[in-house]
Amino acid sequence: MREQYTHHVSRFSQRSFNLTSIKRIAINTGGGDAPGLNAVIRAVVLAALNHGYEVVGIRDGYNGLLIPEKFPKGGLVPLDRDKVRGITHLGGTIIGTTNRGNPLRYPVQQPDGSYVEVDRSDELVAAFADNGIDALIAVGGDGSMEIAHALWEKGLRVVGVPKTIDNDLEHTVVTFGFDTAVFFASECIDRLHSTAQSHQRVMVIEVMGRYAGWIALHAGVASSADAILIPEIPYDINRVAEKVLDRERNGRHFSMVVVAEGARPVNGDYVVQAKEVGRAKRLGGIGDQVAAQLQELTGKEARCVVLGHLLRGGKPTSADRLLALRFGAAAVRAIEAGQTDVMVALDPPNVRYVPLVEATRRMKTVPLDGDTILTARDLGTSLGD
Ligand code: F6P
């Protein structure tokens, strides 16, 4: 007799999943891409094949199942050994991703041009069953983990793998993609350092990270920035200007200021570049504001460079490759062990599994009493406060 999924709590979905004989696993990548996604895919496929499972990739988040007509070659990609050869070091994701297709709040255009958000999760769960998929490995950030948990509530067997350059997911010491972003941001800051020095300018470098300052802080400290502005510490621009002028008096005629895209002044708000239907607000633009204000306050020429998506593209560092491979293999082991509704997390020296709902309960921001912040202060870096 087929054992049915006992944790099936959906009032809506009529489907259920066979726990005892998993044959087919799906993997998807959701949200913004991050270096290491292909390494996870490779590890999942090879580990799954070793355990006797078949693997399919869902194209572009869940779109391969939700809008299959968009994919002439099919919304599902069979993933075998050949498909994942030589991809560990490649940026991007071979199965595509999207940060617009949240099945819980899917934007549907109305005849008058406006949009309404529709919950398509029942339809999605049905599509999994129709395609003979017994379990899902969902690779993504907080939004993806929230979706994965909701699908579990509707009867799907899911294991999450945390990804984001922002490093803002709770319960894992780090997400893959972060190390590459910090490495590349540091490289860029180093390059900008010499040109700032030659021209005696203030160079403002805006980095991604959404509402968390991890990338700015780590890259800024690693590359000896003079000021680092992060969302966790609202800044006073006068304090930053004082730092620049202080350096000027000490014969240092240039300054490097790293600004997280989510940084904001005391009593001020985030700078939002765009609000688009069906996706999170797009931050960006604070770097230009900081540069203009510093130029005004110090009388020094100030320029802004926005690193943006450069931090997400390209090949993963070896640390991110290893972490991604470990996460992918651990996700398959979780399925093999009968785990569901969990996220793989790094808890050095090993990986462990945490309930998905725990992982998304709150955003992981930079702790103000953490030693990286203390290090920045000890080194004389201005944090704008
Ligand atoms: O979450 C990763 C991230 O790169 C953030 O740092 C950034 O705010 C956002 O995604 C940008 O997303 P998009 O590429 O969709 O504009």
Side-chain angles (χ1 to χ4, degrees), residues 99 164-166 208-210 261 279 282 309 312:
N99 50 17
T164 166
I165 63 164
D166 304 338
M208 281 187 168
R210 225 185 272 277
E261 63 178 2
R279 56 152 294 162
R282 184 140 53 92
H309 295 88
R312 285 210 330 230

Side-chain angles (χ1 to χ4, degrees), residues 28-359:
N28 78 339
T29 53
D33 64 350
L37 283 172
N38 283 324
V40 177
I41 295 170
R42 177 175 155 86
V44 164
V45 170
L46 296 186
L49 293 177
N50 278 340
H51 286 282
Y53 307 136
E54 182 193 330
V55 188
V56 289
I58 307 169
R59 288 197 192 272
D60 296 4
Y62 293 99
N63 285 346
L65 289 174
L66 288 175
I67 34 174
E69 63 280 7
K70 190 185 157 202
F71 305 92
K73 291 186 181 160
L76 295 178
V77 193
L79 294 172
D80 56 17
R81 245 168 237 282
D82 276 346
K83 284 265 172 43
V84 298
R85 260 187 238 289
I87 64 168
T88 302
H89 65 293
L90 299 181
T93 159
I94 60 167
I95 53 177
T97 186
T98 178
N99 50 17
R100 287 191 167 76
N102 184 340
L104 307 176
R105 294 182 284 278
Y106 204 90
V108 177
Q109 193 162 25
Q110 303 302 294
D112 66 358
S114 65
Y115 283 85
V116 291
E117 290 181 342
V118 176
D119 182 350
R120 296 186 65 186
S121 55
D122 285 330
E123 200 186 319
L124 182 57
V125 169
F128 274 102
D130 292 344
N131 284 283
I133 296 168
D134 305 304
L136 168 70
I137 293 177
V139 189
D142 54 346
S144 302
M145 295 305 119
E146 187 201 334
I147 297 166
H149 175 68
L151 295 179
W152 168 80
E153 286 188 317
K154 299 212 162 186
L156 187 63
R157 190 171 174 74
V158 291
V159 173
V161 173
K163 159 252 49 162
T164 166
I165 63 164
D166 304 338
N167 193 36
D168 59 357
L169 269 169
E170 268 290 358
H171 296 289
T172 183
V173 166
V174 72
T175 49
F176 70 85
F178 175 64
D179 185 65
T180 308
V182 170
F183 174 82
F184 190 70
S186 305
E187 166 75 24
C188 294
I189 298 166
D190 290 347
R191 285 168 183 254
L192 293 165
H193 201 125
S194 57
T195 166
Q197 189 160 16
S198 309
H199 288 266
Q200 306 196 344
R201 285 173 173 154
V202 175
M203 196 63 86
V204 175
I205 301 103
E206 181 183 305
V207 297
M208 281 187 168
R210 225 185 272 277
Y211 301 103
W214 294 103
I215 299 176
L217 179 66
H218 283 226
V221 171
S223 7
S224 305
D226 303 300
I228 302 171
L229 307 181
I230 59 174
E232 293 84 348
I233 306 178
Y235 65 86
D236 174 351
I237 196 69
N238 294 300
R239 304 288 298 162
V240 187
E242 274 166 32
K243 174 73 187 176
V244 172
L245 292 173
D246 200 36
R247 281 174 56 76
E248 193 71 16
R249 281 189 290 275
N250 287 314
R252 307 294 282 154
H253 301 296
F254 72 99
S255 287
M256 306 295 292
V257 180
V258 178
V259 182
E261 63 178 2
R264 58 197 164 124
V266 178
N267 299 324
D269 215 344
Y270 303 108
V271 179
V272 176
Q273 210 175 65
K275 286 182 192 167
E276 294 160 36
V277 178
R279 56 152 294 162
K281 283 181 196 156
R282 184 140 53 92
L283 299 177
I286 187 70
D288 274 325
Q289 286 191 12
V290 167
Q293 287 177 308
L294 287 179
Q295 183 158 309
E296 172 89 20
L297 289 169
T298 65
K300 291 190 67 64
E301 185 179 3
R303 295 288 183 88
C304 172
V305 175
V306 180
L307 298 184
H309 295 88
L310 288 168
L311 303 184
R312 285 210 330 230
K315 61 182 186 179
T317 59
S318 52
D320 274 341
R321 292 180 205 184
L322 178 61
L323 185 59
L325 293 167
R326 290 171 68 192
F327 277 177
V332 174
R333 288 199 301 275
I335 287 175
E336 177 75 12
Q339 297 240 40
T340 183
D341 192 35
V342 291
M343 182 187 84
V344 180
L346 182 68
D347 185 11
N350 289 312
V351 295
R352 66 183 176 110
Y353 305 103
V354 295
L356 275 173
V357 76
E358 286 295 320

Side-chain angles (χ1 to χ4, degrees), residues 2 18-24 134:
R2 268 165 60 111
N18 184 350
L19 265 190
T20 47
S21 60
I22 292 174
K23 290 194 180 70
R24 203 172 202 218
D134 305 304

